[in-house]
Amino acid sequence: MMNFQGSHILSVSQFDRTAISRILQVSALMAPYAERKKRCHVLDGAILNNLFFEPSTRTRVSFGAAFNLLGGFVRETVGVENSSLSKGESLFDTAQVISGYSDVIAMRHPTMHSVTEFAQGSTVPVINGGDGANEHPTQALLDLFTIESEMKRFGKSLDGLNIVLMGDLKHGRTVHSLSKLLSLYNKIKITLVSPIALQMPESIVSALSNAGHQVIITDKIAGNLACDVIYQTRIQQERFASKDEANLYRGHFSLNKRIYQEYCKEHTVIMHPLPRDSRPEANELDTDLNDLENLAIFRQAQNGVLVRMALFALTLGVDEKLSQYEKPVTWFTKK
Ligand code: NCD
């Protein structure tokens, strides 16, 4: 079993099924705190440094909220322009310095493998919040947690899952990490729907096929969406040479109520890492799906808090001490 305490979380390739089960199990323990039924102050006095060198809403705020919910303090640096990286400082030097001010660091950066380079200079655990088009391990874990909890409603599990990943599979780091995690389960049917130029990297496709899963690669929606879960993604405009190039692919695979009713199954769950691009030319996930019970996107985003709380508890070695550090909630809560 992987030793979480003191470990960096850089890639999903670090995990086997036992490690994943432990993360998902600890995530579930966090629900009463996230729902404000109880408080937990097991990380009272600890400091998280959030270093976000690329745009982020959910990942940054949920990392911060997760740490606060366990009683810790959060400091943030947002944007390269506000950091000494813009003065030519190396990632290694920045890591040496910031890790001296922190107990744990969460980092997002536009360059592939940059978070690993940073971690080499850090004396405290570093959690990858997205490194360019490479990986987004915490998102993949929260996606897995979401798939498992959504499938439970239908008496299904991750083994035997029939999933469609759709959109920009070339640049989308969330689908890269999720595919790698799914390859650890049994008998997955995975349909990769994307424009031909934006297909899933070959190394990930072959890892899936070599693990014995059924992989279908297509650029057509018709006939390919009858699945348990459809995971829609955004065209990753920031990874293209120009906005015009990204525009070539926008709006090809918009999902709306009509397409859902025509091609999906009655129980098909819709996921999306968010943000969805709601501009009319993209509209990849139409708001006419908002009243659908199977639209899991906001439950998915909420699960991010639980999974990030679990990763902090595990890397800081307090996962078995949660109940000793509980307090009642004293303020009005709407739930
Ligand atoms: C994703 C990301 O940043 O990779 N967002 C997120 O963290 N939930 C997906 C995206 O930006 O399209």
Side-chain angles (χ1 to χ4, degrees):
M1 166 80 156
M2 173 185 170
N3 181 18
F4 285 101
Q5 189 174 306
S7 294
H8 303 304
I9 307 288
L10 300 173
S11 161
V12 291
S13 310
Q14 291 169 246
F15 306 126
D16 57 14
R17 274 186 73 158
T18 316
I20 294 167
S21 304
R22 180 67 189 143
I23 297 168
L24 302 189
Q25 192 184 31
V26 178
S27 303
L29 296 179
M30 299 301 182
Y33 313 127
E35 289 163 10
R36 310 293 199 272
K37 294 200 172 87
K38 295 177 197 167
R39 296 171 65 190
C40 181
H41 58 106
V42 70
L43 292 183
D44 182 18
I47 298 176
L48 162 69
N49 254 290
N50 256 342
L51 304 180
F52 276 70
F53 301 122
E54 240 194 1
S56 174
T57 301
R58 269 148 292 273
T59 307
R60 179 174 58 81
V61 178
S62 68
F63 265 124
F67 208 73
N68 288 151
L69 283 164
L70 291 173
F73 301 112
V74 181
R75 306 202 61 90
E76 294 202 331
T77 302
V78 173
V80 174
E81 68 283 9
N82 296 317
S83 135
S84 282
L85 290 171
S86 67
K87 300 180 183 172
E89 187 170 51
S90 67
L91 288 169
F92 183 89
D93 284 5
T94 306
Q96 287 274 311
V97 174
I98 301 288
S99 59
Y101 307 155
S102 325
D103 294 282
V104 59
I105 295 171
M107 178 172 172
R108 169 173 286 191
H109 193 281
T111 308
M112 288 171 97
H113 309 294
S114 53
V115 182
T116 301
E117 186 184 334
F118 178 91
Q120 281 155 5
S122 173
T123 55
V124 301
V126 174
I127 306 185
N128 182 0
D131 60 329
N134 184 40
E135 277 223 35
H136 196 342
T138 64
Q139 178 73 41
L141 290 164
L142 79 88
D143 290 341
L144 215 58
F145 183 91
T146 304
I147 296 171
E148 195 171 59
S149 61
E150 296 290 323
M151 287 301 103
K152 255 184 214 152
R153 294 196 283 137
F154 306 107
K156 297 186 175 205
S157 73
L158 286 159
D159 290 321
L161 185 75
N162 177 354
I163 186 168
V164 173
L165 306 184
M166 186 150 94
D168 185 352
L169 305 184
K170 178 179 179 191
H171 304 106
R173 54 195 172 198
T174 71
V175 283
H176 298 167
S177 292
L178 180 58
S179 301
K180 291 183 198 174
L181 277 190
L182 286 172
S183 71
L184 299 174
Y185 291 79
N186 298 320
K187 290 194 165 45
I188 308 276
K189 178 178 175 193
I190 182 160
T191 306
L192 305 171
V193 183
S194 73
I196 290 167
L198 302 183
Q199 281 175 355
M200 183 68 88
E202 177 46 37
S203 59
I204 297 178
V205 173
S206 47
L208 283 162
S209 329
N210 293 342
H213 303 298
Q214 186 187 350
V215 186
I216 294 163
I217 298 174
T218 175
D219 63 349
K220 303 215 165 34
I221 281 186
N224 286 312
L225 303 188
C227 58
D228 298 319
V229 175
I230 175 158
Y231 189 104
Q232 175 69 303
T233 65
R234 178 178 69 84
I235 298 296
Q236 306 281 295
Q237 182 185 306
E238 62 277 33
R239 314 261 179 253
F240 288 80
S242 68
K243 195 176 173 198
D244 286 346
E245 196 193 335
N247 278 340
L248 295 175
Y249 306 106
R250 246 188 260 281
H252 287 206
F253 300 115
S254 303
L255 190 60
N256 57 29
K257 204 172 226 169
R258 184 187 62 74
I259 292 171
Y260 183 84
Q261 283 167 348
E262 190 169 349
Y263 297 115
C264 293
K265 288 190 191 171
E266 205 180 318
H267 71 257
T268 301
V269 167
I270 302 174
M271 293 174 59
H272 189 307
L274 301 179
R276 55 176 155 174
D277 186 344
S278 294
R279 289 171 286 194
E281 64 274 23
N283 198 22
E284 66 222 9
L285 204 50
D286 200 299
T287 48
D288 71 359
L289 291 159
N290 279 6
D291 56 2
L292 196 83
E293 174 59 18
N294 288 338
L295 184 78
I297 56 175
F298 298 120
R299 295 192 286 277
Q300 183 183 359
Q302 203 58 46
N303 289 338
V305 174
L306 306 183
V307 169
R308 293 183 173 115
M309 288 173 83
L311 291 171
F312 288 132
L314 286 160
T315 52
L316 296 176
V318 296
D319 51 304
E320 287 178 1
K321 297 185 193 157
L322 303 171
S323 57
Q324 294 165 44
Y325 290 87
E326 285 179 353
K327 285 181 185 173
V329 174
T330 50
W331 58 90
F332 165 79
T333 59
K334 62 183 176 339
K335 285 165 203 138

